[in-house]
Amino acid sequence: MQDKYEVLYRYFGYTAFRGGQAELIDAQLSGRDVFGIMPTGGGKSLCYQIPALMLEGITLVVSPLISLMKDQVSALKNMGVSAAYVNRSLTSEQIRLVLRNIQQQKYKIIYIAPERLLTESFLAAISNLKIAMVAVDEAHCISQWGQDFRPSYLRIADFLKLLKKRPIVSAFTATATQEVRDDVERILGLQNPLRIITGYDRPNLRFEVVQPKSKPLALLDFIEARPEKCGIVYCSTRKEVENTCQMLQNKGISATRYHAGLSEEERHTNQDDFVYDRCKVMVATNAFGMGIDKSNVGYVIHYNMPQSIESYYQEAGRAGRDGENADCILLYSPADIRTAKFLIQHPTENEELSEEERSDIIKRSLIRLDAMIGYCNTNHCLRGYILEYFGQEHPQLCGNCSNCESTAEQRDITEYAKMILSCIYRIQEQLGYSLGATLVAGVLHGSSEKRIKELRLTELSTYGLMNHVPRSEIREMISALENQGYIISHPDRGDLKLTGKAREVLFHGEKVKMLVRKKKREKPRKEDAPSNPNTAGLLQELKALRLTLAKEENMPAYIVFSNATLQDMAQKAPVTMAEFLNVSGVGNYKAQRYGQAFITTIKKYLGED
Ligand code: ADP
Ligand code: ZN
């Protein structure tokens, strides 16, 4: 009997399990039901694929998503596992063929759409087979409380009842509130399942919220700074998708688009272009992504604020599934709130809902939206905010989000406040009129600009009083004083006057504080750190080879090898088959299949050929 580490190494090329995987695998191997709750990218598929390879009999994997099934089956085949899928993307001729093969026990793992489970032809095909396990992927689809309720998932329970011998049942999901969890266990009829919740944190994702002056420019800057990466840009409306995609294309960026208004054919083509790395950037509405298993997504940018933390985390979580550092950026503008509210209040018609249910849903959505707005405005750790939302404990600072990277402190600015307030007072007293913030700051800083001289402001006793403070910083303090009600500015002209409250500071010792946000020095990130120049060159060669192989086999590049694997390969630079097998992510089958080609390239690069 093989052991699970052997299988992990032989097929997947990994040497260690991630959190939760080993326990879940052991339980299934001992015949127990399991329920695994892991974030996207946490490594759920391996949790049922390894037992499937080790148990006697076949394993059925129920999955809602056609593209995901295709992807996983390609990946399995490329590891030397006999697998197939049954769903509506196949012609009836193809289905007949697959069913015949199933009957002849040609596959170890079969992916199947839930609505196919109860078809006569499928039931007939499996009637004489030993079904060791039924693994339910995206198990939250079974619950009406979940965001992606699929009635066809309810048939899984009926299917299980039809089987002569009950198989092991395992369920997996990334999203699970308590109601959803209860539903999954109850409706699927899990028996004393081992429940493993690995937590929601994805440490390799960096979170950032920006409120840029111009979103198009901010987006362009970001993408152009990462020419070698591919990523997803989410927009909240179809129109915004069209405009943004066009804008990027005009700037020479290889971008494509996806939304529900496009023909099925175009959606299909565009999605494939992105998955197969023919296009770097996918601009899409939230219709895109469910079931996209592409592991090398380097960033997910939200061009608009989404409607809930749940959706945000699910969409942003599509970055960095290969475990490499990746960015999740939200380009926020207060106008996004209006759009989001409008979209919530005008949902697509659903005739099954009563008026009351409809208004209930809207109410709940608005509460979720509030939490999302909170995320965009918080001064606290962004990762902490998300984890808190999902009810998970977390350290106060993560060190890998835009808020943790800048420090905010309450600075005592009382002395400066006094100087600013008395300057405004003097100007009014001595000149008989008021000035706007720019000029006041100029006076205090001791600027020699023409207008200050013309107005003879140089003669004021406060002129140059703050000459060691940059003018921009003086401006910020003036805004802070205005925000705190010590100054008011004329709504049209902008000139400044003191309020009664200013006296408290000038004469009664009241202290003034201001929140200052300082950007910490950027610490170099792992991937950005000056990489070993030798490996950088080799990595390029390996990537080029991967692309060639992927094209020859008409497969997405990441199914050949993931970025993480190529990086390890460049580092180890294996020149023998034994060394090649030591690279993380290289299993036996892939070593046989690709080893020679990669070793040749490496030798050539090292000049040993
Ligand atoms: P999920 O389905 O939970 O979103 P996947 O099963 O797609 O996640 O796994 C995400 C990535 O992590 C895949 O590239 C997979 O090969 C990799 N992975 C899974 N388990 C391990 C492990 N134990 N060691 C290294 N990489 C792993
Ligand atoms: Zn943080």
Side-chain angles (χ1 to χ4, degrees):
M1 164 96 176
Q2 301 167 329
D3 123 286
K4 62 176 183 293
Y5 282 97
E6 222 178 293
V7 175
L8 179 71
Y9 186 67
R10 169 124 59 105
Y11 288 96
F12 297 85
Y14 301 132
T15 47
F17 286 106
R18 290 194 184 148
Q21 287 180 330
E23 294 87 331
L24 287 163
I25 291 169
D26 284 340
Q28 291 164 88
L29 290 177
S30 76
R32 187 172 170 191
D33 287 358
V34 301
F35 188 10
I37 299 160
M38 294 179 166
T40 312
K44 285 184 285 292
S45 18
L46 203 137
C47 294
Y48 54 79
Q49 285 167 352
I50 287 187
L53 289 171
M54 297 174 68
L55 291 165
E56 196 198 322
I58 60 168
T59 289
L60 302 178
V61 181
V62 183
S63 164
L65 303 153
I66 288 174
S67 49
L68 183 125
M69 291 192 213
K70 183 169 160 232
D71 221 41
Q72 296 244 342
V73 168
S74 309
L76 283 169
K77 282 188 179 163
N78 207 29
M79 293 188 301
V81 176
S82 55
Y85 58 85
V86 185
N87 62 36
R88 67 180 153 84
S89 75
L90 300 180
T91 62
S92 43
E93 188 49 44
Q94 289 169 318
I95 291 195
R96 258 197 300 280
L97 186 69
V98 173
L99 291 180
R100 196 158 58 231
N101 287 338
I102 290 176
Q103 206 159 16
Q104 292 168 3
Q105 309 198 34
K106 291 211 172 136
Y107 309 118
K108 195 72 182 140
I109 304 182
I110 299 155
Y111 281 75
I112 182 158
E115 64 273 13
R116 295 270 159 186
L117 284 170
L118 294 176
T119 55
E120 257 167 57
S121 53
F122 180 69
L123 290 172
I126 58 160
S127 61
N128 285 319
L129 302 183
K130 176 172 165 66
I131 296 178
M133 181 162 78
V134 172
V136 183
D137 205 3
E138 313 288 346
H140 58 278
C141 292
I142 209 167
S143 167
Q144 309 208 32
W145 293 96
Q147 293 196 319
D148 315 299
F149 173 53
R150 283 165 196 257
S152 55
Y153 257 59
L154 299 171
R155 295 190 202 163
I156 301 171
D158 301 331
F159 171 76
L160 290 172
K161 281 185 204 124
L162 283 181
L163 298 176
K164 278 174 244 151
K165 184 174 181 307
R166 184 181 182 278
I168 302 162
V169 182
S170 54
F172 297 89
T173 179
T175 40
T177 54
Q178 195 57 49
E179 292 108 331
V180 175
R181 271 181 224 167
D182 293 346
D183 270 5
V184 170
E185 293 196 13
R186 185 176 52 80
I187 301 173
L188 274 182
L190 296 184
Q191 295 175 3
N192 178 32
L194 173 75
R195 297 180 197 92
I196 298 263
I197 304 170
T198 60
Y200 285 85
D201 192 15
R202 300 269 314 276
N204 65 320
L205 300 185
R206 176 181 173 276
F207 292 93
E208 177 168 359
V209 176
V210 238
Q211 196 171 334
K213 285 209 181 74
S214 154
K215 285 191 183 183
L217 285 183
L219 181 66
L220 208 56
D221 273 356
F222 183 89
I223 293 176
E224 283 180 337
R226 288 160 183 77
E228 77 294 355
K229 294 204 166 180
C230 56
I232 306 174
V233 178
Y234 279 111
C235 301
S236 57
T237 63
R238 295 175 188 184
K239 195 159 156 245
E240 195 111 65
V241 168
E242 305 273 334
N243 294 342
T244 308
C245 183
Q246 189 67 58
M247 183 276 288
L248 291 175
Q249 285 172 347
N250 290 346
K251 296 286 177 184
I253 286 171
S254 117
T256 185
R257 58 185 187 169
Y258 190 105
H259 61 67
L262 300 173
S263 69
E264 178 153 351
E265 200 188 332
E266 184 180 347
R267 281 198 311 245
H268 197 82
T269 311
N270 295 354
Q271 173 172 320
D272 271 3
D273 282 347
F274 180 62
V275 168
Y276 286 78
D277 297 329
R278 292 189 286 264
C279 269
K280 287 269 174 198
V281 182
M282 170 56 88
V283 187
T285 59
N286 59 8
F288 176 77
M290 261 290 258
I292 302 300
D293 214 7
K294 188 175 167 66
S295 70
N296 62 338
V297 175
Y299 53 85
V300 171
I301 303 176
H302 280 74
Y303 199 75
N304 305 104
M305 177 185 66
Q307 294 173 20
S308 69
I309 299 279
E310 284 95 331
S311 337
Y312 181 62
Y313 204 48
Q314 188 177 50
E315 287 155 19
R318 294 184 181 128
R321 293 173 77 148
D322 53 9
E324 297 222 349
N325 287 335
D327 288 286
C328 306
I329 317 264
L330 200 163
L331 303 181
Y332 171 68
S333 105
D336 292 339
I337 301 177
R338 259 200 318 271
T339 315
K341 281 196 173 148
F342 180 86
L343 292 174
I344 287 173
Q345 276 153 353
H346 299 82
T348 40
E349 283 306 317
N350 185 343
E351 283 161 11
E352 288 172 38
L353 297 178
S354 71
E355 197 46 45
E356 196 178 336
E357 284 169 328
R358 226 174 71 96
S359 83
D360 253 14
I361 289 177
I362 292 177
K363 228 184 280 166
R364 254 183 277 152
S365 301
L366 288 173
I367 293 171
R368 289 204 189 109
L369 178 65
D370 270 344
M372 190 67 233
I373 299 171
Y375 176 81
C376 297
N377 288 298
T378 182
N379 278 324
H380 296 284
C381 172
L382 294 173
R383 182 186 315 277
Y385 188 98
I386 293 172
L387 294 176
E388 184 93 30
Y389 183 83
F390 290 118
Q392 188 177 321
E393 300 219 350
H394 56 87
Q396 208 175 3
L397 298 172
C398 75
N400 195 21
C401 76
S402 54
N403 283 356
C404 281
E405 284 159 6
S406 65
T407 45
E409 55 179 20
Q410 287 285 348
R411 191 166 140 207
D412 186 327
I413 56 159
T414 311
E415 286 314 306
Y416 289 135
K418 282 184 180 164
M419 294 176 194
I420 292 167
L421 297 175
S422 49
C423 181
I424 295 169
Y425 179 74
R426 288 279 141 69
I427 289 170
Q428 196 168 21
E429 190 169 7
Q430 291 184 17
L431 304 179
Y433 57 83
S434 315
L435 299 173
T438 310
L439 275 180
V440 172
V443 170
L444 282 159
H445 182 66
S447 159
S448 55
E449 82 188 52
K450 212 163 121 220
R451 220 164 112 65
I452 291 192
K453 285 191 182 142
E454 275 168 10
L455 292 169
R456 301 174 63 170
L457 299 171
T458 45
E459 290 166 21
L460 289 168
S461 59
T462 50
Y463 178 79
L465 198 58
M466 289 172 73
N467 60 9
H468 55 291
V469 184
R471 201 162 157 172
S472 58
E473 221 170 281
I474 305 178
R475 284 281 326 243
E476 279 173 24
M477 294 187 208
I478 293 176
S479 310
L481 289 170
E482 190 179 345
N483 284 338
Q484 295 176 43
Y486 298 110
I487 308 175
I488 44 167
S489 63
H490 190 281
D492 302 324
R493 298 190 305 270
D495 50 62
L496 304 172
K497 288 213 168 82
L498 302 187
T499 67
K501 221 181 140 190
R503 301 180 64 83
E504 301 299 317
V505 179
L506 286 171
F507 308 117
H508 303 293
E510 183 164 304
K511 296 246 178 275
V512 184
K513 293 207 166 139
M514 180 171 110
L515 193 70
V516 208
R517 208 166 246 305
K518 277 202 213 120
K519 191 120 182 95
K520 273 192 197 156
R521 250 180 310 128
E522 298 257 351
K523 57 174 166 51
R525 298 185 33 199
K526 238 196 275 162
E527 62 176 350
D528 305 334
S531 54
N532 184 342
N534 300 323
T535 62
L538 178 54
L539 186 61
Q540 284 312 318
E541 300 274 324
L542 298 178
K543 282 190 175 167
L545 174 60
R546 174 178 67 177
L547 193 64
T548 312
L549 293 171
K551 279 198 176 136
E552 272 171 26
E553 301 181 330
N554 194 21
M555 251 192 274
Y558 65 87
I559 289 201
V560 176
F561 282 127
S562 72
N563 283 346
T565 297
L566 288 195
Q567 228 146 43
D568 196 43
M569 200 183 295
Q571 201 76 43
K572 293 185 174 142
V575 290
T576 65
M577 213 40 154
E579 287 171 359
F580 193 71
L581 273 163
N582 260 336
V583 174
S584 168
V586 177
N588 279 359
Y589 187 79
K590 284 194 186 179
Q592 271 177 26
R593 189 157 174 174
Y594 304 120
Q596 219 42 62
F598 279 92
I599 288 175
T600 306
T601 300
I602 293 168
K603 278 188 174 165
K604 208 154 139 200
Y605 184 82
L606 298 176
E608 285 178 18
D609 214 27

